[in-house]
Amino acid sequence: MTSIDTSSASSAGASPSAASPASPTSRTSADSASGSGSGSGSGSDESRAFEDVVSDGVSPASLHGPVLAWFDRHARDLPWRRPEAGAWGVMVSEFMLQQTPVVRVLPVYEQWLARWPRPADLAAEAPGEAVRAWGRLGYPRRALRLHAAAVAIKERHGGDVPSDHGQLLALPGIGEYTAAAVASFAYGQRHAVLDTNVRRVFARAATGVQYPPNATTAAERRLARALLPEDEATAARWAAASMELGALVCTARNEDCGRCPLADRCAWLRAGKPAHDGPARRGQTYAGTDRQVRGKLLAVLRDAVDPVDQASLDAVWDEPVQRARALDGLVADGLVEPLEDGRYRLPLG
């Protein structure tokens, strides 16, 4: 996922439970950009990888204890971290939290799980209903992907979210990050779970730089694997805890080093917090973009019971070329279906 400021967007980590040893956090790194590089690997190879990239004086063990202890005290109580959420609740949260702050996700998540408590419930509905229920979370293709994943879970796995990482990865709409996150947060497995928050914590604490690269690198994946505790349950906890630390303390802007459990061993802080000297960090814009127009068009279709005529869509945006381009994009993405009579609706199948 595209890297964005996640100081308010991450919900990392869960409280331990029999069903969910560690639950997820809000996500701001996409599967396409931040593959988790999950997997155990050999201990000696991981140790060498760690030594190749970290600052002097930093060891995995020196980071684990303080972060896990901090997480025990400060982890947020979020619905997808509770035992009753189950693997489906974890998966839904992972889709919704991509590039979307927790505060916006919470009401939609609650409504979604109340309506579709299991994958088969969502699979039984038209994909357009998923788009409608997605509301204003943004990036509505996530709704279609989640619907497609629910259909595949029903057809391939008897309606239960699989625990096997490879089977998760084979589901529609699920990339390396989400597969690793669900396997770790829902099933307590040992995977490197790299979202933007985790990458930032590792960049600062272990390698001494302010920000990670714009796109996840092989070196970051090696570092994440090297930092994983050997014990599965502890590794799952670590994935959640490091994510929560990046969401609440080691934020993209206005980091609170005074509250950080790693302040006495953070390589970046020890170096005097040198300013970022890499490529410019990508920002996000919304006003006046095709994305804004798409959102306005979809809002009309979500609110409509019947198909919508062209005039109703034309009324949402004055510039006709941009409006037509945005509508064509929605159709191409499968979010809108054009009808033969010139009207439009959310997709039925």
Side-chain angles (χ1 to χ4, degrees):
M1 172 172 313
T2 302
S3 298
I4 64 173
D5 176 13
T6 61
S7 57
S8 64
S10 224
S11 68
S15 301
S17 70
S20 178
S23 292
T25 94
S26 64
R27 303 294 165 261
T28 49
S29 286
D31 283 316
S32 59
S34 68
S36 73
S38 62
S40 298
S42 73
S44 58
D45 289 346
E46 290 172 352
S47 296
R48 285 194 296 271
F50 185 85
E51 292 169 357
D52 287 343
V53 295
V54 300
S55 177
D56 290 342
V58 178
S59 69
S62 72
L63 303 181
H64 295 157
V67 173
L68 292 171
W70 172 88
F71 185 61
D72 287 340
R73 296 190 301 272
H74 298 288
R76 288 171 290 179
D77 178 20
L78 296 168
W80 44 85
R81 297 177 175 173
R82 299 168 191 161
E84 61 268 24
W88 174 237
V90 171
M91 179 177 286
V92 170
S93 76
E94 285 299 328
F95 274 80
M96 290 186 174
L97 289 164
Q98 293 170 11
Q99 295 196 350
T100 307
V102 170
V103 67
R104 290 180 56 202
V105 166
L106 282 169
V108 181
Y109 174 89
E110 298 280 16
Q111 294 163 11
W112 191 283
L113 268 295
R115 181 174 179 180
W116 298 309
R118 289 182 52 80
D121 301 316
L122 176 59
E125 297 262 19
E129 286 306 300
V131 176
R132 193 188 310 278
W134 200 255
R136 298 183 180 276
L137 284 183
Y139 303 99
R141 277 178 289 183
R142 291 179 292 167
L144 290 182
R145 291 168 182 158
L146 184 51
H147 182 275
V151 171
I153 290 169
K154 177 184 177 182
E155 294 176 348
R156 303 175 194 172
H157 304 289
D160 294 321
V161 176
S163 60
D164 179 77
H165 178 267
Q167 291 178 338
L168 286 166
L169 195 57
L171 294 173
I174 292 189
E176 181 59 43
Y177 166 78
T178 302
V182 173
S184 178
F185 299 144
Y187 294 112
Q189 296 176 15
R190 185 179 185 271
H191 293 279
V193 183
L194 273 175
D195 83 334
T196 301
N197 293 302
V198 176
R199 295 175 61 223
R200 186 170 56 252
V201 169
F202 290 176
R204 292 174 180 174
T207 64
V209 298
Q210 185 178 17
Y211 298 118
N214 284 334
T216 307
T217 65
E220 286 182 280
R221 295 187 178 98
R222 289 195 299 271
L223 172 61
R225 290 194 294 268
L227 281 171
L228 276 175
E230 289 298 326
D231 174 70
E232 275 208 337
T234 307
R237 230 20 220 155
W238 164 254
S242 55
M243 195 174 291
E244 187 83 325
L245 183 64
L248 299 182
V249 176
C250 192
T251 53
R253 294 187 295 270
N254 302 316
E255 64 279 350
D256 192 350
C257 296
R259 291 198 303 124
C260 182
L262 298 179
D264 63 345
R265 66 204 72 197
C266 172
W268 183 56
L269 186 57
R270 290 204 317 265
K273 298 172 70 171
H276 177 66
D277 64 356
R281 300 178 69 233
R282 294 190 295 261
Q284 287 191 322
T285 58
Y286 182 73
T289 62
D290 284 6
R291 188 168 153 243
Q292 183 184 23
V293 183
R294 285 163 61 103
K296 288 180 174 291
L297 294 169
L298 269 184
V300 173
L301 290 158
R302 282 198 309 268
D303 293 341
V305 176
D306 298 316
V308 173
D309 59 29
Q310 184 72 54
S312 298
L313 296 177
D314 290 346
V316 307
W317 198 256
D318 291 336
E319 209 291 301
V321 174
Q322 188 179 25
R323 186 180 64 234
R325 183 172 65 243
L327 181 58
D328 288 346
L330 290 171
V331 172
D333 289 341
L335 290 161
V336 172
E337 285 186 356
L339 303 179
E340 292 183 357
D341 62 4
R343 295 183 299 166
Y344 297 84
R345 69 184 180 195
L346 296 178
L348 294 182

